[in-house]
Amino acid sequence: MLGVGCWMLDVEMSNQTIVRTSTADLYDAFVMKNYARASLTLTRGRGAQVWDDQGNCYLDFTSGIAVSALGHCHPHWVAAVQRQAGELIHVSNLFRNPNQAELARRLVQRTGPGRVFFCNSGAEANEALLKLARLHGARKSGGEEGKCYKVICAKNAFHGRTFGGMSATPQEKIQKGFRPLVPGFAFGELNNLKSFADLIDGQTAAIFVETIQGEGGIHPCTDEFLLGLRRLCDQHNLLLLLDEVQCGLGRTGKFFAFEHAGVLPDAIGMAKGLGGGFPIGAMWVRENAAELFQPGSHGTTFGGTPLACAAALAVLDVIEGEKLVEHVARSSGPWIAALEKLTADFPAHVKGVRGRGFLVGVQLAGEPAPYLSALRERGLLALAAGGNVIRLLPPLTATPAELARSVEIFRAALVAKA
């Protein structure tokens, strides 16, 4: 079993020196306890690997919750961030900066005609989507506010921890303690088009879903369902809003996960892998709704800084230059097939595998915590997701050998529990 972090620090305070204070002790004393953290202190990373303060090496298939799309410390990304940090870091959105303009151009080129709003996180991108829905509803009502504002979301969804995001997330563990929430949300069954259609009325402004539910347990929208939502939105003058915060940026073997269905939404929320480890979020809005935001209707102090956009541009450079979308599409099939074999070999523990590309959930028969510990002891870092699921999020740069190694470790952990 690996020990807790013991990186020794000297802390000088009031002419007294406190020696031999571990990172774990500092967390216990000073950091808010809103995370159930593993007893692990990570100190450096390279590619798909990270090391703890004891020198132990791990295969990191959390990717910082889908953030480290290029793995750790990709040299092109590091050089771009270092170079930009020495030139210009922040100027606010009251002025133009070349990196933001170029990043917007490249995202529009990837997605379709429209415009981009930059922010700092997936939660902020989704909050902007919800504000866009309110503006569209007011437009539908001839400028009258409060008449058309309902947003239909999916049960089991997760859209962030802001008040808007929580209100769109029908999970007790997320909402408990924070009521009353924002009104105007209804919830249908994922992949049940009729359940969404039945909720549409004169107050409805938008439909908002994750293309693949991540925190909820890795549940992809079927292609037929997404196509059906597009038809419903066209029929009823609704915006189709897609949360691609976790599943976008090449993770499924397409640049965006909705591309598998051949649909085009009206707006997309993205973040996580976009910055490759530097905080940045974005909302792309199709031309039919791009003019809804006007000066004063929304803003951000830190969104789209020269440094954040330099990081994101470096991510796009590597995704395109190393053909990582194609790599994920090519490499994920054999990897998922090997994971699916665990279902047949360990039926008492593994009940199924689902997902797309490098966003995969392994459905377990019991709580994931003991399995996550067993994987960690053998050198593989993974995540839990809703419904007793272990979530695997390798970096887009993960090699076939690293993917195979993850299955070997998973198998060894299951053998030990059999």
Side-chain angles (χ1 to χ4, degrees), residues 39 43 85 119 128 171 173 180 192 231 252 268-269 307 309 335 373 376 407:
S39 298
T43 58
C119 52
Q171 298 186 38
K173 67 180 181 180
N192 182 338
R231 288 194 298 271
T252 66
I268 307 160
L307 185 55
C309 291
W335 178 56
S373 295
R376 196 160 56 241
V407 180

Side-chain angles (χ1 to χ4, degrees), residues 2 15 18 61 81 110 112 139 153 161 189 209 322 330 333 336 385 410:
L2 299 172
N15 297 322
I18 304 170
F61 275 29
V81 171
R110 275 280 187 178
R139 180 173 66 179
C153 302
R161 296 177 184 271
E189 296 282 349
V209 298
E322 298 186 9
R330 182 174 59 252
I336 293 173
F410 215 127

